[in-house]
Amino acid sequence: MPTTTRIFNFAAGPAVLPLPVLEEAQRDLVSLPGVGMSVMEISHRSKTFDAIIQGAEADFRELAGVPDGYHVLFLQGGASTQFAMVPMNLLAPGATADYIVTGSWSKKAVKEAKKVGTVNIAATTEAEKFARIPRQDELSLTPGAAYVHMTSNNTIYGTAWKAEPQVGGVPLVCDASSDIFSRPIDVKKHALVYAGAQKNLGPSGVTVVVIRDDVAKRGSESLPTMLNYATHVAEKSLYNTPPVFGIYILGLVLKWLKANGGLTAMAKVNERKAAKVYAEIDRSGFYRGHAQKDSRSLMNITFRLPSEELEAQFVKGSTAAGFSGLKGHRSVGGLRASIYNAFPEEGIDALVSFMRDFEKKNG
Ligand SMILES: *Cc1c(COP(=O)(O)O)cnc(C)c1O
């Protein structure tokens, strides 16, 4: 299939990847230049893969401005494994972990932490269907907590934090799976940031963890080896066979980000892309955004139509128009447009004009 027949993919994850990345991977899939083997066929201990994983780490550090004293790890098991690894390593017996609950993924993180120790729900906006991020004055933080856990972007509800919460000296842990590298990130404000790659960084199968050195050492010796951050720090993500192909693609995505101006440039484009869709949602009242305006995500835009029939019709019509993945998550209903870094701006313009036409015909 020629690449020109690619459709506009609004999926929440796994999600659209940059076309130049896919094309490079396709070109080199059977034989890496100068290697004569596929990246999937080489040893993870080879010089070739060393260059790939070290290059990915260096580019990640450069893009995010990761300071000294932080490690960048490439793990497996998805963000969902981090829901467990974070408390297993950071939540000592007798201590309390604060969780700010802003959606379904935060709730899943809480569920895992409760298996390990004491959890305080520092705030939740569940009573408002997670339509907003809590204000600073709504947080009831535990003095001396083991850590505070937050979800920077709520993929299902379409909300995002505009700035990190103030947590004093308590380590801040952030699930950034659906907005990592959509804008600059101040790593220093965090003790640990984790993200499944499949929304904004690459394919599924690789999970990035950025962890401060003191926090990486907190795990007890009795933890299973693979679930102790210290193992992966000591072995530079090569304790066992890492997700070689995922790291390779992630590395290509990072190169693409650098070639496109890095995170500041990315944020500018993302703001412009999201603003176009939100302007259309706000224009006439036919569409209704789920998220409150001050909590709107730039990555996942959730909206409703006047009736469920119209929503179903919208999905059907959008498929016929060459769009995929616009049906909202079942817990919110309606529509969701996921427009990650790699989602092309032409697709935004096409969606906006589809929304206009649909309203004209059905409004
Ligand atoms: C998708 C997602 C997850 C789950 O990621 P897995 O890699 O599938 O475990 C967790 N948190 C957020 C915010 C997500 O968007």
Side-chain angles (χ1 to χ4, degrees), residues 12-13 77-83 105-106 108 151-156 175-179 194-199 204-207 300 340:
S80 300
T81 298
Q82 295 308 307
F83 295 164
W105 294 115
S106 311
K108 287 192 169 159
T151 313
S152 53
N153 184 80
N154 299 282
T155 326
I156 292 174
D175 174 2
S177 292
S178 54
D179 70 343
Y194 63 90
Q198 69 273 19
K199 277 124 190 179
S204 64
V206 53
T207 309
N300 312 97
Y340 299 112

Side-chain angles (χ1 to χ4, degrees), residues 280-338:
E280 186 57 24
I281 288 173
D282 293 339
R283 195 174 49 80
S284 74
F286 179 73
Y287 299 104
R288 234 171 344 106
H290 174 75
Q292 291 186 13
K293 284 188 183 170
D294 60 359
S295 297
R296 282 174 163 178
S297 165
L298 300 185
M299 297 285 96
N300 312 97
I301 300 183
T302 46
F303 58 100
R304 306 294 311 250
L305 272 67
S307 71
E308 286 186 15
E309 291 69 47
L310 281 172
E311 287 169 351
Q313 216 175 303
F314 185 101
V315 172
K316 219 172 142 195
S318 72
T319 307
F323 306 154
S324 172
L326 280 165
K327 192 173 186 317
H329 190 275
R330 61 192 177 282
S331 49
V332 183
L335 288 302
R336 170 174 57 175
S338 296

Side-chain angles (χ1 to χ4, degrees), residues 229-296:
Y229 289 120
T231 303
H232 303 291
V233 167
E235 303 294 331
K236 295 189 163 299
S237 308
L238 291 167
Y239 172 73
N240 73 328
T241 317
V244 169
F245 188 71
I247 293 168
Y248 163 72
I249 299 287
L250 171 71
L252 297 184
V253 172
L254 298 175
K255 284 202 183 81
W256 174 82
L257 280 169
K258 280 173 65 178
N260 283 277
L263 305 190
T264 307
M266 210 40 67
K268 234 168 123 182
V269 175
N270 285 329
E271 269 161 36
R272 189 172 67 221
K273 279 158 59 184
K276 286 182 180 179
V277 182
Y278 283 123
E280 186 57 24
I281 288 173
D282 293 339
R283 195 174 49 80
S284 74
F286 179 73
Y287 299 104
R288 234 171 344 106
H290 174 75
Q292 291 186 13
K293 284 188 183 170
D294 60 359
S295 297
R296 282 174 163 178

Side-chain angles (χ1 to χ4, degrees), residues 19-292:
L19 184 57
V21 166
L22 295 176
E23 287 172 338
E24 181 172 341
Q26 180 187 47
R27 197 174 62 238
D28 295 346
L29 187 72
V30 172
S31 172
L32 271 180
V35 177
M37 297 176 277
S38 171
V39 69
M40 288 183 283
E41 301 172 308
I42 59 173
S43 165
H44 57 291
R45 314 260 174 222
S46 63
K47 276 210 174 82
T48 303
F49 186 69
D50 241 16
I52 289 171
I53 192 167
Q54 283 174 28
E57 179 179 346
D59 287 342
F60 188 99
R61 284 183 168 275
E62 184 184 329
L63 281 160
V66 178
D68 289 345
Y70 284 79
H71 308 281
V72 177
L73 308 175
F74 302 111
L75 308 183
Q76 301 188 63
S80 300
T81 298
Q82 295 308 307
F83 295 164
M85 263 178 92
V86 166
M88 287 170 90
N89 285 265
L90 273 59
L91 182 51
T96 297
D98 284 348
Y99 276 73
I100 306 174
V101 178
T102 50
S104 316
W105 294 115
S106 311
K107 281 173 75 176
K108 287 192 169 159
V110 165
K111 183 178 168 211
E112 297 306 302
K114 280 185 170 165
K115 292 175 195 251
V116 176
T118 308
V119 169
N120 167 53
I121 304 298
T124 175
T125 49
E126 187 163 19
E128 296 159 75
K129 293 200 170 132
F130 295 122
R132 66 178 183 91
I133 298 297
R135 296 182 311 271
Q136 181 71 32
D137 65 16
E138 292 176 289
L139 306 181
S140 54
L141 299 169
T142 308
Y147 59 90
V148 178
H149 183 282
M150 65 178 285
T151 313
S152 53
N153 184 80
N154 299 282
T155 326
I156 292 174
Y157 294 90
T159 62
W161 290 79
K162 302 296 160 184
E164 291 80 9
Q166 306 289 324
V167 295
V170 172
L172 182 62
V173 175
C174 179
D175 174 2
S177 292
S178 54
D179 70 343
I180 191 165
F181 284 12
S182 66
R183 52 182 172 173
I185 177 169
D186 191 351
V187 173
K188 280 191 316 299
K189 288 193 174 149
H190 304 84
L192 196 160
V193 179
Y194 63 90
Q198 69 273 19
K199 277 124 190 179
N200 221 8
L201 286 182
S204 64
V206 53
T207 309
V208 178
V209 174
V210 182
I211 187 168
R212 208 170 62 203
D213 189 55
D214 60 304
V215 167
K217 288 178 178 146
R218 276 209 209 166
S220 138
E221 289 268 332
S222 63
L223 283 176
T225 309
M226 278 293 286
L227 299 180
N228 193 327
Y229 289 120
T231 303
H232 303 291
V233 167
E235 303 294 331
K236 295 189 163 299
S237 308
L238 291 167
Y239 172 73
N240 73 328
T241 317
V244 169
F245 188 71
I247 293 168
Y248 163 72
I249 299 287
L250 171 71
L252 297 184
V253 172
L254 298 175
K255 284 202 183 81
W256 174 82
L257 280 169
K258 280 173 65 178
N260 283 277
L263 305 190
T264 307
M266 210 40 67
K268 234 168 123 182
V269 175
N270 285 329
E271 269 161 36
R272 189 172 67 221
K273 279 158 59 184
K276 286 182 180 179
V277 182
Y278 283 123
E280 186 57 24
I281 288 173
D282 293 339
R283 195 174 49 80
S284 74
F286 179 73
Y287 299 104
R288 234 171 344 106
H290 174 75
Q292 291 186 13

